[in-house]
């Protein structure tokens, strides 16, 4: 009899404990759902005050690019044979600045770098064409008649493993890239967005760029027009790697930065390079 009473008490105790655990679990789930709902409502409320790009049925270039100028950019990625990198850099230094300085060509060499961390033995060149596609076409036609440039291309071809390029437009909410006193390191972050998310990306970064301007690290922001589509490039400048670390950590102390990272992070794949002027 005593054994049965003890067994029955144990069953009652376990039943009560299970009910308490269930109640606590339900409360935790309810609290989590309410917190998530409040976060979404808060995010929705904040979005009312964010400068947005009108989601019209229009080309991204019309909605996201700057209206006050007609700049077109070309970014080139050259994968160089490891044993040829020094010779390649010397060849580029002898030819490309002369094209940049010649008023006959409506183009400017914004920057030319070697990848330091990321894909090795790689050169990155960024050109600006003031005047858009007509300027690009005019420059390409003139370069075909430039013997120095055609010789450069033939010699360059012997040094490369592969190459690719893209034509880009700059986001309206980024500053135009300008020369910076150095020495600096640069970070090129390339994002491959899911189709249909470019406008939303622009909406978030139109607000987020304000968080990253205190140290003037934002150099340029671009999106692809020809080449690999739905690609975004962000170019940042830092004094050194430690300065980069400090600046990026400081951004996380700004209210709203975590939300931008959370929402834009779900819409892309990212490739990163630390690049330096050679």
């Amino acid at each position: 009899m005593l054994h049965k009473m003890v067994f029955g008490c144990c069953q009652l105790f376990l039943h009560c404990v299970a009910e308490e655990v269930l109640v606590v679990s339900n409360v935790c789930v309810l609290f989590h759902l309410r917190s998530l709902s409040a976060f979404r409502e808060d995010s929705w409320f904040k979005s009312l005050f964010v400068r947005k790009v009108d989601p019209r049925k229009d080309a991204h270039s019309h909605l996201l690019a700057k209206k006050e100028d007609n700049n077109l950019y070309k970014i080139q990625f050259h994968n160089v044979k490891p044993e040829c990198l020094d010779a390649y850099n010397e060849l580029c230094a002898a030819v490309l600045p002369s094209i940049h300085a010649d008023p006959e060509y409506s183009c400017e060499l914004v920057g030319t770098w070697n990848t330091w961390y990321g894909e090795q033995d790689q050169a990155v060149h960024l050109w600006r064409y003031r005047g858009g596609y007509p300027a690009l076409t005019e420059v390409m036609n003139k370069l075909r008649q430039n013997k120095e440039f055609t010789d450069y291309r033939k010699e360059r071809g012997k040094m490369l493993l592969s190459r690719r390029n893209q034509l880009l437009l700059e986001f309206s909410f980024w500053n135009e890239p300008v020369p910076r006193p150095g020495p600096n390191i640069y970070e090129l972050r390339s994002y491959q967005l899911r189709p249909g998310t470019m406008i939303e990306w622009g909406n978030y970064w139109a607000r987020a760029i304000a968080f990253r301007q205190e140290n003037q690290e934002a150099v340029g922001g671009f999106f692809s027009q020809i080449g690999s589509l739905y690609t975004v490039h962000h170019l940042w400048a830092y004094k050194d790697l430690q300065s980069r670390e400090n600046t990026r950590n400081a951004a996380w102390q700004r209210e709203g930065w975590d939300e931008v990272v959370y929402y834009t992070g779900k819409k892309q794949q990212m490739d990163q390079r630390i690049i330096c002027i050679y």
Side-chain angles (χ1 to χ4, degrees), residues 111-124:
T112 183
W113 304 272
N114 285 159
T115 301
W116 189 11
Y117 289 102
E119 193 166 355
Q120 296 294 283
D121 304 309
Q122 185 181 72
V124 181

Side-chain angles (χ1 to χ4, degrees), residues 18-83:
E19 286 188 343
E20 287 191 22
V21 171
L22 180 61
V23 170
V24 171
S25 299
N26 288 337
V27 170
C28 289
V29 170
L30 181 60
F31 177 77
H32 173 73
L33 292 175
R34 288 178 176 174
S35 298
L36 182 59
S37 176
F39 174 76
R40 288 174 175 171
E41 289 178 1
D42 181 61
S43 299
W44 173 84
F45 181 75
K46 288 181 180 178
S47 69
L48 296 177
F49 301 95
V50 177
R51 184 172 70 86
K52 288 192 172 184
V53 179
D54 184 11
R56 296 173 297 169
K57 295 181 178 179
D58 204 348
H60 292 157
S61 58
H62 295 160
L63 300 176
L64 297 171
K66 293 181 179 179
K67 304 297 190 299
E68 62 272 17
D69 55 35
N70 190 25
N71 291 338
L72 180 69
Y73 290 81
K74 178 171 69 176
I75 191 167
Q76 300 173 299
F77 299 95
H78 290 171
N79 293 317
V80 186
K81 297 175 182 178
E83 67 274 15

Side-chain angles (χ1 to χ4, degrees), residues 205 207-209 211-212 236 248 251-262:
W205 272 96
R207 177 161 60 99
I209 193 63
F211 302 148
R212 299 296 305 276
W236 310 91
R248 289 180 55 80
W252 285 97
Q253 308 306 314
R254 301 287 301 276
E255 183 179 357
W257 175 252
D258 56 341
E259 184 180 335
V260 171
V261 174
Y262 173 76

Side-chain angles (χ1 to χ4, degrees), residues 39 171 173 189-194 197-209 211 232 234 236 252 256-270:
F39 174 76
F171 283 110
F173 46 84
R189 290 192 163 221
S190 302
Y191 303 85
Q192 188 65 48
L193 305 190
R194 296 205 305 266
T197 62
M198 182 69 76
I199 299 297
E200 189 175 359
W201 176 278
N203 286 337
Y204 278 109
W205 272 96
R207 177 161 60 99
I209 193 63
F211 302 148
V232 170
H234 291 177
W236 310 91
W252 285 97
W257 175 252
D258 56 341
E259 184 180 335
V260 171
V261 174
Y262 173 76
Y263 280 105
T264 59
K266 299 189 299 181
K267 306 179 186 307
Q268 45 79 18
Q269 294 178 338
M270 186 184 75

Side-chain angles (χ1 to χ4, degrees), residues 108-258:
E108 302 164 4
L109 185 59
V110 177
T112 183
W113 304 272
N114 285 159
T115 301
W116 189 11
Y117 289 102
E119 193 166 355
Q120 296 294 283
D121 304 309
Q122 185 181 72
V124 181
H125 307 289
L126 182 63
W127 294 86
R128 175 168 49 222
Y129 299 86
R130 295 195 184 275
Y133 292 108
L136 171 69
T137 302
E138 180 185 6
V139 169
M140 293 298 100
N141 288 336
K142 287 182 178 179
L143 287 177
R144 291 191 186 97
Q145 309 303 318
N146 184 325
K147 186 177 185 306
E148 182 184 30
F149 183 77
T150 55
D151 290 344
Y152 153 79
R153 289 195 62 180
K154 290 178 182 177
E155 190 64 24
R156 184 190 69 184
K158 302 174 185 177
M159 304 177 183
L160 298 183
L161 294 170
S162 64
R163 61 191 178 96
R164 63 185 176 90
N165 58 25
Q166 292 175 312
L167 294 181
L168 314 170
L169 296 177
E170 55 188 332
F171 283 110
S172 61
F173 46 84
W174 283 73
N175 296 327
E176 181 178 288
V178 295
R180 289 171 175 252
N184 294 305
I185 64 167
Y186 292 83
E187 180 176 12
L188 179 63
R189 290 192 163 221
S190 302
Y191 303 85
Q192 188 65 48
L193 305 190
R194 296 205 305 266
T197 62
M198 182 69 76
I199 299 297
E200 189 175 359
W201 176 278
N203 286 337
Y204 278 109
W205 272 96
R207 177 161 60 99
I209 193 63
F211 302 148
R212 299 296 305 276
Q213 290 284 25
E214 288 186 357
N215 296 319
Q216 300 299 312
E217 69 267 23
V219 177
F222 314 91
F223 60 97
S224 61
Q225 280 291 284
I226 296 179
S228 178
L229 297 179
Y230 300 104
T231 302
V232 170
H233 299 287
H234 291 177
L235 185 62
W236 310 91
Y238 305 98
K239 180 182 178 181
D240 50 38
L241 288 175
Q242 186 58 55
S243 174
R244 170 187 174 274
E245 180 74 5
N246 296 341
T247 300
R248 289 180 55 80
N249 287 340
W252 285 97
Q253 308 306 314
R254 301 287 301 276
E255 183 179 357
W257 175 252
D258 56 341

